Amino acid sequence: MNSYHNNAVDVLVENICLSRTQLFEKLDMTNRREFRTMVDKLMKEGRIRYESDINGGGPVLSPKVLKLAEFDKESDDLTKVFYINYVPTNVLEKVLEYVEPGIDPFEDELDFHLEIMGYKLEEKYKGFFEQENGFTLDYTKFRYDLWAEYLFHKYGDLEQK
């Protein structure tokens, strides 16, 4: 199991699309004020966000996760996706020596690249990701892109259940 360094996020990853009330119950918390403060903090940090429930219910919470996409260098085919341990964006910016590439303040953010475009992971950063996640990356055969996504049920996911 990947580490998201927060029990609420771990619960949301295991139980995609919980309402705020369902999350409170699953966490077995007793102090609603503490719970609201924690959820608000996670939202402000971009760790979770609200989504519209496609089943017609109220809003549900969706957790942010990081993943590495592995592509074959010869064919450029996607070969594997690794869900990796959570690393805060400000830490990733330091590790990746991220420099804002342009003049648009929104599109220059690392979060924008991770969610919309992906971020090409250079080989010099492989040690950090291997150490943090306990796997080996093979840059002789593959290239890797780092992505962030919010886990959320898609319409097709519901049809399979």
Side-chain angles (χ1 to χ4, degrees), residues 76-107:
D76 207 33
D77 290 337
L78 177 66
T79 58
K80 187 186 279 187
V81 173
F82 300 89
Y83 282 90
I84 62 174
N85 293 335
Y86 179 77
V87 180
T89 302
N90 61 339
V91 173
L92 276 176
E93 287 174 344
K94 289 177 185 168
V95 168
L96 300 173
E97 303 165 307
Y98 181 76
V99 178
E100 297 172 349
I103 58 173
D104 187 324
F106 177 71
E107 291 183 11

Short mmCIF file of all heavy atoms in Angstrom, two decimals, residues 76-107:
data_model
loop_
_atom_site.label_atom_id
_atom_site.label_comp_id
_atom_site.label_asym_id
_atom_site.label_seq_id
_atom_site.Cartn_x
_atom_site.Cartn_y
_atom_site.Cartn_z
N ASP A 76 7.48 3.79 -27.46
CA ASP A 76 6.77 4.87 -26.77
C ASP A 76 5.42 4.39 -26.22
O ASP A 76 4.52 5.20 -25.95
CB ASP A 76 6.59 6.10 -27.65
CG ASP A 76 6.49 7.38 -26.83
OD1 ASP A 76 7.13 7.46 -25.77
OD2 ASP A 76 5.75 8.29 -27.25
N ASP A 77 5.25 3.08 -26.04
CA ASP A 77 4.04 2.51 -25.47
C ASP A 77 4.09 2.57 -23.95
O ASP A 77 5.14 2.36 -23.34
CB ASP A 77 3.87 1.03 -25.87
CG ASP A 77 3.55 0.86 -27.34
OD1 ASP A 77 3.02 1.82 -27.94
OD2 ASP A 77 3.83 -0.23 -27.88
N LEU A 78 2.95 2.84 -23.35
CA LEU A 78 2.83 2.81 -21.89
C LEU A 78 2.94 1.36 -21.44
O LEU A 78 2.20 0.50 -21.92
CB LEU A 78 1.49 3.40 -21.45
CG LEU A 78 1.19 3.36 -19.96
CD1 LEU A 78 2.14 4.26 -19.19
CD2 LEU A 78 -0.26 3.78 -19.72
N THR A 79 3.89 1.06 -20.54
CA THR A 79 4.08 -0.32 -20.10
C THR A 79 3.59 -0.58 -18.69
O THR A 79 3.18 -1.68 -18.36
CB THR A 79 5.57 -0.73 -20.18
OG1 THR A 79 6.33 0.18 -19.39
CG2 THR A 79 6.08 -0.72 -21.62
N LYS A 80 3.63 0.45 -17.85
CA LYS A 80 3.23 0.25 -16.45
C LYS A 80 2.95 1.61 -15.81
O LYS A 80 3.51 2.62 -16.21
CB LYS A 80 4.37 -0.44 -15.69
CG LYS A 80 4.04 -0.86 -14.29
CD LYS A 80 5.25 -1.41 -13.55
CE LYS A 80 5.49 -2.86 -13.94
NZ LYS A 80 6.55 -3.48 -13.12
N VAL A 81 2.08 1.59 -14.80
CA VAL A 81 1.82 2.78 -13.99
C VAL A 81 2.09 2.40 -12.54
O VAL A 81 1.54 1.42 -12.04
CB VAL A 81 0.38 3.28 -14.16
CG1 VAL A 81 0.09 4.42 -13.19
CG2 VAL A 81 0.12 3.72 -15.59
N PHE A 82 2.96 3.15 -11.88
CA PHE A 82 3.27 2.96 -10.47
C PHE A 82 2.56 4.04 -9.66
O PHE A 82 2.80 5.22 -9.91
CB PHE A 82 4.77 3.15 -10.19
CG PHE A 82 5.70 2.25 -10.92
CD1 PHE A 82 6.19 2.59 -12.18
CD2 PHE A 82 6.14 1.07 -10.34
CE1 PHE A 82 7.09 1.78 -12.83
CE2 PHE A 82 7.04 0.25 -10.99
CZ PHE A 82 7.51 0.60 -12.24
N TYR A 83 1.70 3.66 -8.75
CA TYR A 83 1.18 4.63 -7.79
C TYR A 83 2.24 4.75 -6.71
O TYR A 83 2.71 3.74 -6.19
CB TYR A 83 -0.18 4.22 -7.22
CG TYR A 83 -1.26 4.49 -8.23
CD1 TYR A 83 -1.64 3.54 -9.17
CD2 TYR A 83 -1.88 5.73 -8.27
CE1 TYR A 83 -2.61 3.81 -10.11
CE2 TYR A 83 -2.86 6.02 -9.21
CZ TYR A 83 -3.21 5.05 -10.12
OH TYR A 83 -4.17 5.32 -11.07
N ILE A 84 2.64 5.97 -6.42
CA ILE A 84 3.78 6.17 -5.53
C ILE A 84 3.37 6.89 -4.25
O ILE A 84 2.30 7.49 -4.18
CB ILE A 84 4.91 6.94 -6.25
CG1 ILE A 84 4.47 8.34 -6.66
CG2 ILE A 84 5.42 6.14 -7.45
CD1 ILE A 84 5.59 9.20 -7.25
N ASN A 85 4.26 6.83 -3.27
CA ASN A 85 4.02 7.51 -2.00
C ASN A 85 3.87 9.00 -2.22
O ASN A 85 4.54 9.59 -3.08
CB ASN A 85 5.15 7.23 -1.02
CG ASN A 85 5.20 5.78 -0.60
OD1 ASN A 85 4.20 5.07 -0.63
ND2 ASN A 85 6.37 5.32 -0.21
N TYR A 86 3.04 9.62 -1.42
CA TYR A 86 2.77 11.04 -1.54
C TYR A 86 3.99 11.86 -1.15
O TYR A 86 4.66 11.58 -0.16
CB TYR A 86 1.59 11.43 -0.66
CG TYR A 86 1.29 12.90 -0.75
CD1 TYR A 86 0.62 13.41 -1.85
CD2 TYR A 86 1.71 13.78 0.23
CE1 TYR A 86 0.36 14.77 -1.96
CE2 TYR A 86 1.45 15.13 0.13
CZ TYR A 86 0.78 15.62 -0.97
OH TYR A 86 0.54 16.95 -1.09
N VAL A 87 4.27 12.87 -1.95
CA VAL A 87 5.31 13.85 -1.66
C VAL A 87 4.65 15.22 -1.87
O VAL A 87 4.09 15.48 -2.93
CB VAL A 87 6.52 13.70 -2.62
CG1 VAL A 87 7.58 14.73 -2.30
CG2 VAL A 87 7.09 12.29 -2.58
N PRO A 88 4.70 16.11 -0.86
CA PRO A 88 4.10 17.43 -1.03
C PRO A 88 4.72 18.18 -2.21
O PRO A 88 5.90 18.00 -2.53
CB PRO A 88 4.41 18.15 0.28
CG PRO A 88 4.71 17.06 1.26
CD PRO A 88 5.28 15.93 0.45
N THR A 89 3.92 19.01 -2.86
CA THR A 89 4.39 19.74 -4.04
C THR A 89 5.62 20.57 -3.75
O THR A 89 6.56 20.57 -4.57
CB THR A 89 3.26 20.65 -4.59
OG1 THR A 89 2.13 19.83 -4.88
CG2 THR A 89 3.69 21.38 -5.84
N ASN A 90 5.68 21.23 -2.61
CA ASN A 90 6.85 22.06 -2.32
C ASN A 90 8.12 21.21 -2.18
O ASN A 90 9.20 21.65 -2.56
CB ASN A 90 6.63 22.94 -1.09
CG ASN A 90 6.37 22.15 0.18
OD1 ASN A 90 5.98 20.99 0.14
ND2 ASN A 90 6.56 22.80 1.31
N VAL A 91 8.00 19.98 -1.69
CA VAL A 91 9.14 19.08 -1.61
C VAL A 91 9.52 18.61 -3.02
O VAL A 91 10.71 18.58 -3.38
CB VAL A 91 8.85 17.88 -0.69
CG1 VAL A 91 9.97 16.86 -0.74
CG2 VAL A 91 8.60 18.35 0.74
N LEU A 92 8.51 18.25 -3.83
CA LEU A 92 8.79 17.84 -5.22
C LEU A 92 9.51 18.95 -5.99
O LEU A 92 10.42 18.68 -6.77
CB LEU A 92 7.50 17.48 -5.95
CG LEU A 92 6.97 16.08 -5.77
CD1 LEU A 92 5.64 15.93 -6.49
CD2 LEU A 92 7.96 15.04 -6.25
N GLU A 93 9.09 20.19 -5.77
CA GLU A 93 9.73 21.32 -6.47
C GLU A 93 11.22 21.38 -6.14
O GLU A 93 12.05 21.63 -7.01
CB GLU A 93 9.05 22.64 -6.11
CG GLU A 93 7.69 22.79 -6.75
CD GLU A 93 6.93 24.02 -6.30
OE1 GLU A 93 7.29 24.63 -5.26
OE2 GLU A 93 5.96 24.37 -6.98
N LYS A 94 11.58 21.13 -4.88
CA LYS A 94 13.00 21.14 -4.48
C LYS A 94 13.74 19.94 -5.05
O LYS A 94 14.83 20.07 -5.60
CB LYS A 94 13.12 21.17 -2.96
CG LYS A 94 12.71 22.50 -2.36
CD LYS A 94 12.78 22.48 -0.86
CE LYS A 94 12.23 23.79 -0.32
NZ LYS A 94 12.00 23.76 1.11
N VAL A 95 13.14 18.74 -4.92
CA VAL A 95 13.78 17.52 -5.40
C VAL A 95 14.01 17.58 -6.91
O VAL A 95 15.09 17.23 -7.40
CB VAL A 95 12.93 16.27 -5.05
CG1 VAL A 95 13.41 15.03 -5.79
CG2 VAL A 95 12.93 16.04 -3.55
N LEU A 96 13.01 18.05 -7.64
CA LEU A 96 13.10 18.10 -9.10
C LEU A 96 13.78 19.38 -9.61
O LEU A 96 13.88 19.56 -10.82
CB LEU A 96 11.69 18.01 -9.72
CG LEU A 96 10.90 16.74 -9.40
CD1 LEU A 96 9.48 16.86 -9.93
CD2 LEU A 96 11.60 15.52 -9.96
N GLU A 97 14.19 20.23 -8.69
CA GLU A 97 14.82 21.50 -9.06
C GLU A 97 13.93 22.25 -10.06
O GLU A 97 14.40 22.76 -11.07
CB GLU A 97 16.22 21.27 -9.63
CG GLU A 97 17.12 20.52 -8.68
CD GLU A 97 18.37 19.96 -9.32
OE1 GLU A 97 18.24 19.24 -10.35
OE2 GLU A 97 19.45 20.25 -8.82
N TYR A 98 12.64 22.28 -9.73
CA TYR A 98 11.64 22.83 -10.64
C TYR A 98 11.81 24.34 -10.81
O TYR A 98 11.92 25.08 -9.85
CB TYR A 98 10.23 22.53 -10.10
CG TYR A 98 9.14 23.05 -10.99
CD1 TYR A 98 8.82 22.40 -12.17
CD2 TYR A 98 8.44 24.19 -10.66
CE1 TYR A 98 7.81 22.87 -12.99
CE2 TYR A 98 7.43 24.68 -11.48
CZ TYR A 98 7.12 24.01 -12.65
OH TYR A 98 6.13 24.48 -13.46
N VAL A 99 11.85 24.77 -12.06
CA VAL A 99 11.92 26.18 -12.41
C VAL A 99 10.70 26.51 -13.24
O VAL A 99 10.39 25.81 -14.21
CB VAL A 99 13.20 26.49 -13.22
CG1 VAL A 99 13.25 27.95 -13.62
CG2 VAL A 99 14.44 26.11 -12.43
N GLU A 100 10.00 27.56 -12.86
CA GLU A 100 8.81 27.95 -13.61
C GLU A 100 9.21 28.32 -15.04
O GLU A 100 10.06 29.20 -15.23
CB GLU A 100 8.11 29.12 -12.92
CG GLU A 100 7.62 28.75 -11.54
CD GLU A 100 7.08 29.92 -10.75
OE1 GLU A 100 7.26 31.07 -11.16
OE2 GLU A 100 6.48 29.66 -9.70
N PRO A 101 8.63 27.65 -16.04
CA PRO A 101 9.10 27.82 -17.42
C PRO A 101 8.59 29.04 -18.19
O PRO A 101 9.16 29.38 -19.20
CB PRO A 101 8.59 26.54 -18.10
CG PRO A 101 7.38 26.18 -17.33
CD PRO A 101 7.64 26.60 -15.92
N GLY A 102 7.55 29.71 -17.73
CA GLY A 102 6.99 30.78 -18.56
C GLY A 102 6.51 31.96 -17.76
O GLY A 102 7.00 32.23 -16.67
N ILE A 103 5.52 32.67 -18.32
CA ILE A 103 5.03 33.88 -17.67
C ILE A 103 3.63 33.73 -17.09
O ILE A 103 3.19 34.59 -16.35
CB ILE A 103 5.06 35.07 -18.66
CG1 ILE A 103 4.20 34.76 -19.88
CG2 ILE A 103 6.47 35.44 -19.03
CD1 ILE A 103 4.02 35.92 -20.84
N ASP A 104 2.92 32.65 -17.38
CA ASP A 104 1.57 32.45 -16.86
C ASP A 104 1.67 31.87 -15.45
O ASP A 104 2.15 30.75 -15.27
CB ASP A 104 0.79 31.50 -17.76
CG ASP A 104 -0.67 31.38 -17.36
OD1 ASP A 104 -0.96 31.43 -16.14
OD2 ASP A 104 -1.51 31.26 -18.25
N PRO A 105 1.23 32.62 -14.43
CA PRO A 105 1.42 32.14 -13.06
C PRO A 105 0.72 30.82 -12.76
O PRO A 105 1.22 30.02 -12.00
CB PRO A 105 0.84 33.26 -12.19
CG PRO A 105 0.17 34.21 -13.10
CD PRO A 105 0.58 33.90 -14.50
N PHE A 106 -0.43 30.55 -13.37
CA PHE A 106 -1.13 29.29 -13.11
C PHE A 106 -0.44 28.13 -13.81
O PHE A 106 -0.18 27.10 -13.23
CB PHE A 106 -2.60 29.38 -13.53
CG PHE A 106 -3.33 28.08 -13.34
CD1 PHE A 106 -3.63 27.63 -12.07
CD2 PHE A 106 -3.70 27.30 -14.42
CE1 PHE A 106 -4.30 26.43 -11.87
CE2 PHE A 106 -4.37 26.10 -14.23
CZ PHE A 106 -4.66 25.67 -12.95
N GLU A 107 -0.14 28.31 -15.08
CA GLU A 107 0.44 27.22 -15.86
C GLU A 107 1.90 26.96 -15.52
O GLU A 107 2.46 25.95 -15.92
CB GLU A 107 0.28 27.50 -17.36
CG GLU A 107 -1.16 27.40 -17.80
CD GLU A 107 -1.34 27.60 -19.30
OE1 GLU A 107 -0.34 27.61 -20.03
OE2 GLU A 107 -2.50 27.74 -19.72
#
